[in-house]
Amino acid sequence: MTISTYPDGGTFSGVIGTTTADSSPSWPVPPSPPEGAPNVVVVVVDDLGFAQLGCYGGLGGRIATPNLDRLAAQGLRYQNFHTTALCSPTRAALLTGRNHHSVGVAAIMERSTGYPGYNGRIPKDCAMLPAVLRDAGYNTMALGKWHLTPDEQTTPAGPFDRWPLAQGFERFYGFLAGLTSQWHPELVEDNHSTDAPATPEEGYHLSADLVDKAIGWIAERQAVAPSKPFFTYLAFGAPHSPHHAPAEFVGPYAGVFDVGWDVVRAETLARQQELGLLPDSVEVPPRNPGVEAWDDLSADRQRLFARQMEVFAGFVTHTDAQIGRLLAYLDDSGLRQRTLVIFLSDNGASSEGGPAGFVNELWFLNGEAASVEEMLAHVEDWGQPGTHPHYASGWAMAGNTPNRMYKAFVHEGGTRDPLIVSYPNRIADPGAIRTQFHHVVDVVPTILETTGLAWPDEVAGHRQRPLEGESFAYTFTDPGAPTRKTHQYFEMFAHRAIWADGWKAVALHWSKGVLRRIGFVDAELHDGDPDADTWELYHLDEDPAEQHDLAAAEPERLAELIARWRREAEDHQVFPLDDSMLERLFAPRPRIVEPRETYRFTERVRLPRSGSPDVRNRSHRITARITVPSTGAEGVIVASGGESGGYTLCLLDGRLHYAINHLERAHYVATSAAPVDPGPHEVVVEFASDGANAGAARLVLDGAVVGAVDIGGTNLITYAVAEGFEVGSDSVTPVWPRYRSPFAFSGTIHEVVLELLSKAPPVDTQDALLEVRADLATQ
């Protein structure tokens, strides 16, 4: 039986008579994509360097990535693909098809400022690809790292128009911030917080969870409408810090990196040349500024740094195994042949670990470095629950071989990244390498051409700006074609570069923030004065590792490129240049959270960090009215933060406790001497700040002081990346190791009132420790 239909929202195509006998029905139906339109799977990994996959050299063949190597063998590897050098900007360009400043994402969302290229608000006239695909009849789903919602808009109050569902994804499961624990992630499903389905003791790891969810969602939709294509955006938190890997994936790397980063770099370049990724003329460049020779390190430092790399390698291999599970599902379900798979990293390997790495990122974010001896105490459990580690910058240097510098720099080490594309129905020479220059802004046009769709004039009622990328789908079938892209600008923290017709001009902007990011370098600083920077010139087609500066030999070409960069900057909202880091983090901006001196809660609540009352370094009072049942009670009344810092007020073993966690290094606890009797009670915590991140607390029960403690230190900048204030539980990780999360309160909480009794001291923007912390926060 034929059913008459017409496009949903269009004109009724049936006949309406007086009765149904002289009428003909017709049904509004949603749009359908073009016949044969492929499924699209985009896999993004975080902070993976150019040389850290097996098929890109694998650090001299040391890192095993068999599934991605197989994907490359079935598709194409691109050796001249570039990103913006930082995560949020790359993701914005990847999903919108416009340059990162054009859509207001010059840096990470937490560093937005009040200029069009920097405000962190992706404009409505620059819609995301999933909205276009959804409106064309695709199912759309996003999993993993988002980091494209303004930080102040990630609370339960929204607004939600820049959360994933409002940007075109029908489903979302992942995290909104720039990083999260792989063992204890702060998860969001669709528009609400949710808990991980298991614990690390039960085998939980976020990367595996994301792939489980991706397979489940695809399978559900295929069970209903097997011919309906889907767009799956799978953005792992891995291998961004914290480097968390199951022990069984780390074990095989024992001793593999004992030779050190200098030997590994040389062997990696040789492997890349053997694979055909780089010409034999390329040589290993000098070490990046601030990186010591491996042979000059002490035995203890060598032991520590080698272990850091073992864990990172296990993290990469574990991620590869999860991607392999997704690819196996596509194969087993018969979907693989008609699925376009795009794999990329969002920027180069990260130097955020600094010269020595760290065992706990929150220590470093709060300005407290760990000694080598302190880190060596964690060598055996490095990367396991309870640690939040990062490796030393020397390994990031090796991971970017042969490219100079790192993530957040616009030399090739920040911007040249792995890209693998597989589409069995289209690619004629699987396993080949492509050398054409491409940029992340080109991915959207490529997907559109492959799916047979065009970018619409309007999306959700908003007239659309033109795309700014160039499709590279032509490379699927024409390996020798010259690149169709003519130029591409770059800018990050006032580092600038432009590529045009095989040549690249680049200026490294030395500032205090850069030095504190990578360690001491004897360089002339140009804070606030980018015009003082020195521009370099490279013929990338012949010198991909930027080793031969031709600025003196080709001054006219250099001047032309610099002028072209300025025109591009003017066209794409790059000005005003901003090399600040701490100032951006604390810049005044419109807030969703209404500032007040008194917060009152009459229900159990769970807030993210961005929506939580901020009591750091401020005198304050917490008053809770509770009832303990006749059978007794235990659990958290109030908590803020997690295992790396914060405070908790709880009942445990019948007694009342107030505990301050200072970066896991110290726990200051006030405890009532006697158990709390059944019945109604008023519990008060009075915290007196000394103005220097320390103070004293009194614990008061029904008007009587029942405990007190002097507090030697509190977290200066942040308790956690995302974990915030809660009433009635401590959901993700425990502030106090005496209990296990969520440790929900089993009595009744009638009211909690939090009063701020002093003003927060001003942030000292010249404080070097503060700038280090701010620079590394959630990038």
Side-chain angles (χ1 to χ4, degrees):
M1 179 180 177
T2 302
I3 299 176
S4 173
T5 64
Y6 62 96
D8 197 357
T11 302
F12 176 70
S13 60
V15 176
I16 297 179
T18 303
T19 68
T20 55
D22 56 359
S23 303
S24 299
S26 189
W27 294 88
V29 294
S32 296
E35 185 70 26
N39 306 307
V40 180
V41 175
V42 175
V43 179
V44 184
V45 292
D46 203 341
D47 288 4
L48 183 85
F50 181 77
Q52 289 174 330
L53 294 180
C55 55
Y56 278 82
L59 293 195
R62 287 175 169 81
I63 298 183
T65 54
N67 297 290
L68 286 166
D69 296 352
R70 191 176 307 115
L71 183 70
Q74 296 167 346
L76 301 171
R77 274 170 295 167
Y78 289 77
Q79 61 88 269
N80 206 2
F81 173 74
H82 293 74
T83 63
T84 70
L86 203 64
C87 56
S88 294
T90 288
R91 290 156 205 272
L94 171 66
L95 289 171
T96 67
R98 286 93 168 181
N99 286 288
H100 56 305
H101 296 87
S102 296
V103 296
V105 189
I108 59 171
M109 309 310 285
E110 294 83 355
R111 279 204 174 79
S112 60
T113 61
Y115 300 99
Y118 296 76
N119 62 27
R121 274 75 170 161
I122 295 176
K124 306 298 184 180
D125 57 3
C126 294
M128 289 189 179
L129 176 65
V132 174
L133 295 180
R134 178 201 58 198
D135 292 349
Y138 272 72
N139 280 137
T140 59
M141 62 199 82
L143 306 105
K145 176 173 173 174
W146 181 240
H147 211 197
L148 289 174
T149 301
D151 184 54
E152 59 273 17
Q153 296 182 12
T154 59
T155 77
F160 297 97
D161 59 330
R162 289 184 172 90
W163 288 43
L165 296 197
Q167 297 285 26
F169 288 108
E170 296 168 325
R171 299 300 309 273
F172 172 69
Y173 181 76
F175 57 101
L176 298 177
L179 63 89
T180 194
S181 168
Q182 300 288 317
W183 302 118
H184 299 286
E186 187 85 350
L187 291 172
V188 169
E189 184 162 3
D190 299 332
N191 280 353
H192 60 86
S193 296
T194 191
D195 294 319
T199 66
E201 294 76 15
E202 296 167 325
Y204 181 84
H205 190 282
L206 176 58
S207 295
D209 186 17
L210 296 176
V211 171
D212 288 345
K213 186 72 77 172
I215 291 172
W217 279 354
I218 294 171
E220 287 175 350
R221 284 145 185 78
Q222 288 293 299
V224 176
S227 64
K228 184 175 185 178
F230 57 84
F231 172 55
T232 298
Y233 174 71
L234 174 58
F236 288 95
H240 192 294
S241 61
H243 298 163
H244 284 158
E248 61 269 27
F249 283 85
V250 176
Y253 288 105
V256 169
F257 298 98
D258 289 354
V259 295
W261 46 63
D262 292 323
V263 170
V264 167
R265 286 178 86 206
E267 294 183 356
T268 299
L269 177 57
R271 176 67 176 149
Q272 291 170 327
Q273 291 167 333
E274 178 186 333
L275 292 170
L277 284 162
L278 294 168
D280 292 342
S281 59
V282 175
E283 299 176 348
V284 178
R287 282 183 293 274
N288 287 336
V291 178
E292 297 180 75
W294 184 265
D295 289 344
D296 291 344
L297 300 173
S298 69
D300 278 350
R301 288 165 72 86
Q302 288 183 349
R303 177 180 169 225
L304 172 64
F305 297 166
R307 178 59 172 173
Q308 293 172 354
M309 190 60 218
E310 291 169 12
V311 170
F312 180 83
F315 198 15
V316 172
T317 299
H318 179 261
T319 308
D320 175 83
Q322 308 319 309
I323 295 170
R325 291 199 299 119
L326 177 60
L327 296 175
Y329 165 75
L330 296 175
D331 284 331
D332 294 344
S333 59
L335 295 168
R336 187 74 176 80
Q337 284 295 119
R338 55 188 177 95
T339 300
L340 170 66
V341 178
I342 298 175
F343 168 91
L344 69 148
S345 177
D346 62 353
N347 45 245
S350 170
S351 64
E352 290 159 307
F358 43 75
V359 68
N360 190 318
E361 188 150 24
L362 269 295
W363 295 2
F364 202 52
L365 295 179
N366 281 279
E368 298 193 21
S371 67
V372 169
E373 292 72 25
E374 193 170 10
M375 289 192 282
L376 278 172
H378 291 277
V379 159
E380 296 304 320
D381 64 346
W382 197 274
Q384 296 305 299
T387 68
H388 297 252
H390 201 301
Y391 57 19
S393 56
W395 289 122
M397 174 186 68
N400 287 329
T401 302
N403 305 314
R404 293 173 54 199
M405 303 310 287
Y406 317 94
K407 167 186 178 179
F409 294 84
V410 298
H411 280 76
E412 295 292 282
T415 64
R416 186 188 290 250
D417 296 300
L419 172 70
I420 300 171
V421 177
S422 176
Y423 185 23
N425 279 354
R426 182 86 176 269
I427 294 171
D429 57 340
I433 295 170
R434 295 291 189 262
T435 60
Q436 296 92 342
F437 181 98
H438 300 295
H439 184 265
V440 66
V441 78
D442 303 328
V443 173
V444 163
T446 303
I447 292 173
L448 289 176
E449 181 177 342
T450 307
T451 58
L453 295 169
W455 198 268
D457 293 333
E458 286 191 2
V459 175
H462 296 280
R463 188 80 178 170
Q464 292 293 292
R465 293 190 216 167
L467 298 178
E468 296 176 353
E470 177 77 39
S471 171
F472 55 81
Y474 66 92
T475 66
F476 296 176
T477 55
D478 193 351
T483 183
R484 295 180 183 175
K485 199 170 183 71
T486 60
H487 61 278
Q488 176 63 49
Y489 84 91
F490 300 87
E491 188 278 336
M492 191 59 60
F493 298 125
H495 305 303
R496 286 101 67 213
I498 186 164
W499 173 92
D501 301 319
W503 290 80
K504 179 180 178 182
V506 57
L508 196 162
H509 181 70
W510 289 109
S511 66
K512 293 190 298 292
V514 170
L515 295 193
R516 291 159 187 158
R517 187 183 188 93
I518 65 175
F520 176 76
V521 175
D522 187 11
E524 180 180 315
L525 303 185
H526 296 156
D527 289 80
D529 186 14
D531 289 339
D533 297 337
T534 299
W535 284 81
E536 305 158 21
L537 177 67
Y538 301 98
H539 192 187
L540 278 196
D541 284 354
E542 298 179 359
D543 181 20
E546 298 174 315
Q547 296 188 55
H548 304 290
D549 183 2
L550 301 176
E554 299 254 15
E556 293 181 1
R557 187 188 300 273
L558 177 61
E560 180 183 335
L561 284 171
I562 295 172
R564 188 165 193 172
W565 180 88
R566 187 169 188 90
R567 292 195 300 271
E568 290 294 304
E570 290 170 347
D571 289 345
H572 296 290
Q573 305 183 148
V574 178
F575 293 119
L577 292 177
D578 188 352
D579 62 7
S580 68
M581 293 187 179
L582 179 68
E583 291 86 353
R584 282 202 230 185
L585 191 65
F586 291 101
R589 57 179 64 94
R591 296 288 182 180
I592 303 304
V593 177
E594 298 176 8
R596 50 201 189 273
E597 301 302 311
T598 300
Y599 296 79
R600 180 173 179 265
F601 306 92
T602 56
E603 298 290 337
R604 298 180 184 230
V605 297
R606 175 178 171 183
L607 303 176
R609 172 197 52 77
S610 58
S612 296
D614 186 2
V615 303
R616 291 170 301 119
N617 215 16
R618 302 179 69 173
S619 296
H620 59 276
R621 180 188 299 116
I622 300 171
T623 303
R625 293 192 303 107
I626 65 172
T627 296
V628 176
S630 59
T631 54
E634 66 172 15
V636 169
I637 301 168
V638 174
S640 189
E643 65 185 2
S644 292
Y647 62 87
T648 182
L649 172 63
C650 65
L651 277 175
L652 177 65
D653 297 330
R655 288 173 168 78
L656 192 63
H657 310 268
Y658 175 71
I660 290 275
N661 175 356
H662 179 211
L663 293 170
E664 296 183 277
R665 289 176 153 176
H667 293 87
Y668 304 99
V669 184
T671 297
S672 65
V676 178
D677 295 330
H681 297 281
E682 181 183 80
V683 178
V684 177
V685 173
E686 297 174 343
F687 180 91
S689 171
D690 68 359
N693 300 293
R698 297 197 314 163
L699 185 58
V700 181
L701 178 64
D702 298 327
V705 176
V706 294
V709 61
D710 290 329
I711 296 158
T714 62
N715 291 24
L716 179 61
I717 288 293
T718 183
Y719 295 147
V721 172
E723 293 175 76
F725 180 84
E726 294 188 51
V727 173
S729 59
D730 185 5
S731 296
V732 182
T733 60
V735 170
W736 191 27
R738 283 280 308 278
Y739 61 74
R740 295 187 62 180
S741 292
F743 202 46
F745 187 64
S746 58
T748 301
I749 300 175
H750 303 284
E751 179 186 55
V752 169
V753 177
L754 189 155
E755 300 168 273
L756 300 175
L757 305 177
S758 67
K759 299 293 185 183
V763 175
D764 181 0
T765 58
Q766 302 305 312
D767 184 335
L769 293 178
L770 280 174
E771 196 153 342
V772 168
R773 288 188 297 273
D775 182 39
L776 294 180
T778 66
Q779 289 188 20

